[in-house]
């Protein structure tokens, strides 16, 4: 299969030296890429600024902003049989980034913000027979929110995790996730290494992909 994976955060500029981002390290997406390559799949890995090395065997597309990541996903979607959106796309960006560094005594007290494009929603109409997998990092009711996102983003599978726990979610090697599928099946996995979580997600993708020649 040809698997398109996104990983890491995006960065939304305030000025040439400052940005808005999040704590995503890219570990989950890189683990998915490594597991997919080990199974003989071709991988294109779209990365924001990640804190871990990307596997050399993946075709890498490095991006910075949500807008860049959207363009990279759109450009590689036709090639793919499955899209796994493990990136933590920044939800908001400054409406008008300054082309010059803002002086510290001239920083505005408030930044005017706007939403970034929702990548999954933007490519939903081009889904065709592809498998779409999303992630839902929550601090409240992970499963309830994930179910809502599964439907809103027309996903086949959503991987829900509670990022308020110290041993799961951002910046650690372990994760505790629940897999919720569009057909209503729910599988709560115990705490495991992100490499093992990646393997379980790929098992699901392989079982549900409509392999195109
Ligand atoms: O709505 P929320 O950001 O929680 O949804 C998470 C899922 O949607 C993740 O798979 C993430 O990669 C994807 N996403 C996206 N475009 C955005 C924000 C999130 O595709 N702007």
């Amino acid at each position: 299969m040809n698997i398109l994976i996104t990983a890491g955060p995006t960065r939304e500029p305030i000025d040439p030296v400052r940005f808005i981002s999040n704590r995503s390290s890219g570990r989950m997406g890189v683990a998915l890429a490594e597991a997919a390559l080990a199974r003989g799949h071709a991988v294109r890995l779209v990365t924001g600024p990640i804190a871990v090395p990307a596997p050399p065997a993946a075709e890498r597309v490095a991006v910075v902003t949500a807008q860049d990541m959207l363009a990279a996903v759109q450009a590689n979607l036709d090639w793919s049989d499955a899209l796994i959106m493990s990136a933590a796309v920044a939800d908001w960006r400054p409406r008008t980034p300054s082309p010059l560094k803002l002086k510290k005594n001239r920083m505005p007290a408030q930044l005017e913000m706007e939403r970034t494009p929702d990548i999954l929603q933007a490519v939903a109409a081009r889904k065709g027979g592809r498998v779409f997998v999303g992630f839902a990092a929550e601090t409240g009711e992970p499963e309830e929110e994930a179910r809502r996102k599964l439907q809103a983003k027309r996903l086949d599978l959503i991987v829900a995790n509670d990022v308020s726990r110290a041993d799961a979610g951002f910046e650690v090697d372990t994760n505790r996730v629940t897999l919720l599928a569009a057909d209503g099946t729910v599988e709560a996995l115990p705490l495991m290494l992100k490499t093992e979580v990646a393997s379980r997600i790929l098992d699901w993708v392989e079982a549900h992909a409509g392999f195109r020649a």
Side-chain angles (χ1 to χ4, degrees):
M1 287 173 74
N2 291 344
I3 308 187
L4 180 60
I5 300 173
T6 66
T10 66
R11 271 183 193 171
E12 311 302 329
I14 297 170
D15 71 12
V17 299
R18 304 185 180 94
F19 55 81
I20 290 171
S21 191
N22 59 63
R23 286 175 50 205
S24 170
S25 63
R27 279 182 177 79
M28 193 63 243
V30 165
L32 280 160
E34 282 168 348
L37 289 164
R39 291 167 182 232
H41 301 297
V43 173
R44 290 190 181 168
L45 182 60
V46 178
T47 56
I50 55 176
V52 289
E59 283 181 64
R60 173 108 179 260
V61 185
V63 300
V64 177
T65 65
Q67 193 63 43
D68 299 341
M69 188 172 278
L70 170 62
V73 169
Q74 283 173 327
N76 289 286
L77 196 68
D78 282 347
W79 168 86
S80 72
D81 302 302
L83 167 65
I84 308 181
M85 280 290 306
S86 65
V89 184
D91 294 309
W92 296 87
R93 65 186 174 200
R95 188 182 295 278
T96 2
S98 169
L100 299 174
K101 185 182 171 194
L102 294 166
K103 303 262 182 237
K104 70 182 76 158
N105 52 3
R106 297 256 185 83
M107 280 292 277
Q110 286 172 351
L111 276 176
E112 199 183 336
M113 304 287 280
E114 65 183 9
R115 294 296 302 270
T116 55
D118 189 299
I119 298 171
L120 279 169
Q121 273 173 4
V123 297
R126 290 172 59 197
K127 183 173 185 299
R130 293 175 186 81
V131 173
F132 276 13
V133 178
F135 279 71
E138 310 293 343
T139 51
E141 294 283 331
E143 284 191 36
E144 203 174 301
E145 264 300 287
R147 208 177 301 276
R148 193 183 60 71
K149 287 176 186 176
L150 180 76
Q151 284 166 359
K153 300 191 185 225
R154 291 186 47 205
L155 297 170
D156 300 292
L157 183 74
I158 195 154
V159 183
N161 64 338
D162 183 349
V163 292
S164 61
R165 305 174 77 116
D167 57 3
F170 289 149
E171 295 172 320
V172 292
D173 288 325
T174 50
N175 213 350
R176 187 194 313 268
V177 304
T178 301
L179 306 183
L180 297 100
D183 65 8
T185 48
V186 178
E187 193 181 1
L189 302 180
L191 184 72
M192 48 174 76
L193 289 170
K194 285 185 176 172
T195 50
E196 293 172 295
V197 175
S199 178
R200 301 294 279 266
I201 293 168
L202 285 169
D203 286 345
W204 195 96
V205 170
E206 287 175 347
H208 293 81
F211 282 91
R212 298 180 309 160

